[in-house]
């Protein structure tokens, strides 16, 4: 018996719960719809598991020999009908790969591969009146086309944000086939661009689900506590702001939000544009605010007409006052660490709550109350687990290094990634910073691009802080000046600096930092490489002692920065990068981790931990 038959049996059982609504005769459309808020609350069926795959180096399954998209592509999942038929592929005879995953660590032939791989799986569907079906992908890196039963469902670009298609009209009664073409080739106009310092893991890297929704559903909702808590603390009541949007502009739908523990329940009725908004009042004494020390989440029920969905939402305020960051009205020092979304043991994309818990528990052990999820939106579970563990989050889009600033399509790509990052996580109390870029070279085009992104982020969410990892533009006489036109758009001024690694560690005590903006400062990166277990003198590069000394010198230097409100050293764990080729030391790992790729602690870990203990 092949593996796909086994899967079909399991799915067949599950399909009893999932019945699909079919409009067999309606015209077929490409059906990407805005991201569904809190997909986890919906009934559905996981499409994780074994998918057949075909490696397609020349995109034989997509283009004809004149490089024109072909009607006869692999998405047809064709089978010979007659003995003489020529069909040069067969998904059912091709190997299977566990999804979600990156192909680089699943098939050793694909370790360095950057190109196209096709995936196929089947599932059973049974038609049912009154529901629609969304096909949801947590993330696919990088460019993907999706077909259901040979018909195009849609196309998506961007490797780290979720997306969903309404595939109701493409489903058939009985066996259905999904085919996904994934291409992770790099291009200068992409986001990220052609070069970046992390592994370009390809594939369907996050969960795939079928999601059952009513024809009119709650596409998005937001619930947060209003205002700075400094102001609220004086009053007797707090205000919670609620807003929601249906997938259709229809008036007269009843939306009820309730928080049983606070005995709050409030109905709203949608206007002609299909939205609602309003406030709920709660006694200040009763409302327990979310904080790292007490990461309180409330069970929240949201109902639309006759359906009810559950979420867990925390309430906190975040604001800046001069050079301070205030959480719930109180100054906070952000004891952070940068993290890549890579598995804790060895490489590979992290793709589960268990991976997230391990990485975050290491950050906790270090004494962190904050993590920088670099350089792209991480798995949703990283954010959710961090929220439960009381860890604040900086979340970022991969506008990294030298983006094609003047290209409108590149801007549109970055804008969509920003939109979907915010769409997914804007109800998570622990997310306090949206970061729009990392180490970008100064130019007028870049300022326009990033200025527009910053304004767009604020228009989507004005309840959080905006930042980006900047660079100091050079030091003369040991004076480092931060001079970036983007200063006016950000709430928090952040920059990366590598004294001790890309310049001499002995410069550290002499360094002065001039940051001419009355805003809090985060050092979003510093650090240096060490190979775990390699010991020697403190001036011997790659030893743990070298890295330890670098941390000692840097922390003493940072302590002198006026307005320092936090730091996220680079980085929690050694991570794979094609730029790091030194044999015997790097072996394709960036070795700046405080933990090795296998999770062993290096000496510098204890230096930072001690510093955080007294911060
Ligand atoms: C940086 C980048 C980061 C690199 C790091 C390094 O400034 O932001 O992505 O991995 O330096 O190790 O050089």
């Amino acid at each position: 018996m092949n593996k796909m038959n086994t899967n079909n049996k399991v799915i067949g059982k599950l399909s009893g719960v999932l019945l699909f609504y079919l409009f067999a005769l309606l015209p077929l459309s490409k059906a990407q719809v805005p991201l569904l808020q809190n997909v986890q609350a919906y009934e559905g069926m996981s499409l994780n598991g074994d998918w057949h795959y075909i490696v397609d180096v020349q995109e034989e399954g997509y283009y004809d020999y004149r490089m024109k998209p072909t009607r006869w592509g692999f998405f047809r999942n064709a089978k010979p009908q007659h003995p003489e038929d020529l069909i040069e592929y067969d998904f059912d005879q091709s190997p299977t790969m566990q999804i979600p995953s990156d192909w680089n660590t699943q098939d050793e032939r694909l370790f360095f591969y950057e190109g196209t791989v096709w995936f196929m799986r089947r599932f059973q569907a049974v038609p049912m009146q009154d529901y629609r079906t969304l096909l949801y992908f947590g993330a696919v890196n990088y460019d993907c086309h999706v077909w259901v039963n040979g018909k195009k469902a849609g196309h998506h670009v961007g490797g780290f944000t979720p997306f969903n298609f309404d595939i109701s009209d493409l489903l058939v009664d009985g066996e259905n086939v999904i085919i996904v073409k994934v291409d992770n080739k790099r291009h200068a106009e992409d986001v990220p661009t052609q070069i970046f310092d992390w592994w370009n893991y390809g594939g369907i890297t996050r969960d795939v689900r079928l999601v059952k929704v009513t024809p009119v559903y709650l596409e998005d909702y937001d619930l947060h506590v209003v205002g700075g808590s400094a102001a609220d603390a004086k009053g007797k009541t707090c205000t919670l702001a609620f807003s929601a949007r249906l997938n259709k502009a229809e008036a007269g739908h009843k939306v009820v939000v309730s928080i049983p523990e606070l005995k709050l329940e409030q109905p709203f009725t949608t206007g002609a544009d299909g939205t609602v908004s309003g406030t709920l009042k709660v006694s200040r004494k009763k409302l327990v605010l979310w904080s790292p020390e007490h990461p309180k989440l409330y069970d929240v029920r949201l109902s639309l007409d006759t359906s009810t969905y559950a979420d867990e939402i925390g309430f906190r305020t975040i604001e800046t006052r001069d050079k301070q960051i205030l959480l719930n009205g109180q100054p906070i020092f952000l004891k952070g660490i940068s993290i890549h979304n890579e598995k804790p043991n060895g490489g590979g994309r992290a793709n589960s709550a268990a991976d997230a818990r391990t990485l975050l528990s290491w950050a906790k052990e270090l004494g962190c109350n904050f993590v920088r999820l670099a350089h792209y939106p991480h798995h949703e579970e990283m954010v959710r687990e961090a929220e439960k563990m009381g860890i604040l989050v900086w979340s970022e889009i991969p506008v990294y290094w030298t983006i094609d600033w003047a290209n409108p399509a590149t801007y549109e790509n970055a804008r969509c990634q920003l939109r979907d990052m915010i769409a997914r996580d804007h109800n998570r109390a622990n997310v306090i910073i949206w970061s729009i870029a990392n180490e970008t070279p100064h130019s007028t085009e870049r300022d326009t691009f990033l200025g527009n992104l910053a304004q767009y982020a604020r228009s989507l969410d004005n309840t959080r802080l905006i930042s980006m990892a900047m660079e100091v533009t050079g030091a003369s006489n040991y004076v480092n000046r931060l001079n970036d036109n983007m200063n006016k758009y950000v709430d928090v001024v952040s920059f990366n600096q590598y004294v001790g690694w890309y310049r001499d560690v002995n410069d550290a005590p002499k360094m002065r930092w001039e940051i001419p903006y009355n805003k809090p400062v985060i050092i979003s990166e510093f650090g240096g490489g060490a190979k775990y277990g390699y010991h020697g003198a403190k001036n011997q590069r790659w030893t743990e002692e070298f890295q330890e000394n670098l941390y000692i010198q840097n922390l003493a230097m940072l302590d002198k920065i006026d307005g320092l409100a936090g730091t996220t050293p680079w980085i929690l764990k050694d991570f794979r990068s094609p730029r790091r080729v030194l044999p015997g030391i790097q072996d394709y790992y960036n070795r700046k981790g405080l933990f090795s790729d296998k999770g062993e602690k290096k000496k510098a870990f204890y230096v930072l931990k001690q510093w955080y203990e007294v911060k």
Side-chain angles (χ1 to χ4, degrees), residues 230 317-321 324-332 465:
T317 63
I318 190 79
E319 61 197 314
T320 64
R321 189 172 55 210
Q324 288 184 319
I325 295 176
L326 307 181
L327 178 76
N328 299 327
Q330 299 302 317
I332 183 167
L465 309 177

Side-chain angles (χ1 to χ4, degrees), residues 403 405-406 440-450 485-486:
I403 292 283
W405 305 113
T440 49
H442 296 189
S443 71
T444 314
E445 289 83 8
R446 170 265 200 184
D447 289 352
T448 307
F449 188 110
L450 293 182
N485 293 335
M486 285 301 294

Side-chain angles (χ1 to χ4, degrees), residues 197 375 400 438-439 498 502 525 570 575 580 590 592:
D197 190 21
H375 282 298
Y400 180 96
N438 178 76
E439 288 186 356
Y498 278 91
Y502 297 122
E525 287 179 29
W570 195 252
F575 61 96
R580 310 296 174 172
N590 183 317
K592 297 191 186 72

Side-chain angles (χ1 to χ4, degrees), residues 197 337-340 366 400-401 439 497-503 525-532 541-543 546-548 550-551 568-577 579-580 585-586 588-597 600 602 604-605 608:
D197 190 21
I337 189 77
S338 295
I339 308 184
H340 260 298
L366 193 57
Y400 180 96
W401 291 353
E439 288 186 356
Q497 66 79 21
Y498 278 91
V499 173
W501 190 253
Y502 297 122
R503 64 176 293 172
E525 287 179 29
F526 73 90
K531 169 99 190 224
Y532 171 76
R541 210 171 270 262
W542 304 112
T543 61
F546 186 100
Q547 190 192 38
E548 181 187 38
L550 184 151
Y551 267 75
T568 50
W570 195 252
I571 185 170
L572 183 69
K573 180 193 82 81
D574 292 353
F575 61 96
R576 280 209 167 110
S577 169
R579 300 172 69 80
R580 310 296 174 172
I585 299 280
Q586 293 176 310
Y588 295 101
Y589 276 96
N590 183 317
R591 293 288 180 201
K592 297 191 186 72
L594 295 176
F595 286 82
S596 72
D597 53 297
E600 297 132 327
K602 303 180 196 171
F605 169 94
L608 183 62

